Amino acid sequence: MTERTVAVVEPNTTLGVIVNVEVVAPDWVNNDPAHYIEYDAEHPAAIGWEVIDGVIQVPPPPPEPDEA
């Protein structure tokens, strides 16, 4: 089994912002769902992204620069 990755959310996963990401052991158990969300390649996460109702909100990509 491989390592897992979690997002640390403040103030909480109901309405918060990801403040850190951590790699955890394969047997990690989420004993604090109010502050931790597990994510993977299909459900990305990054510091500064918002979490609403336990769902990580992926921001839109930045606009392409205009070519002159």
Side-chain angles (χ1 to χ4, degrees):
M1 203 174 215
T2 61
E3 294 174 323
R4 295 154 64 185
T5 312
V6 297
V8 183
V9 184
E10 292 294 341
N12 57 61
T13 57
T14 300
L15 185 61
V17 174
I18 297 172
V19 295
N20 198 10
V21 294
E22 297 179 6
V23 176
V24 295
D27 59 352
W28 178 78
V29 175
N30 189 358
N31 291 324
D32 190 2
H35 293 100
Y36 290 93
I37 297 177
E38 188 168 2
Y39 68 94
D40 55 29
E42 293 181 14
H43 304 92
I47 293 172
W49 289 8
E50 290 184 293
V51 177
I52 299 173
D53 293 332
V55 178
I56 297 168
Q57 307 298 307
V58 180
E64 293 291 324
D66 293 335
E67 292 184 21

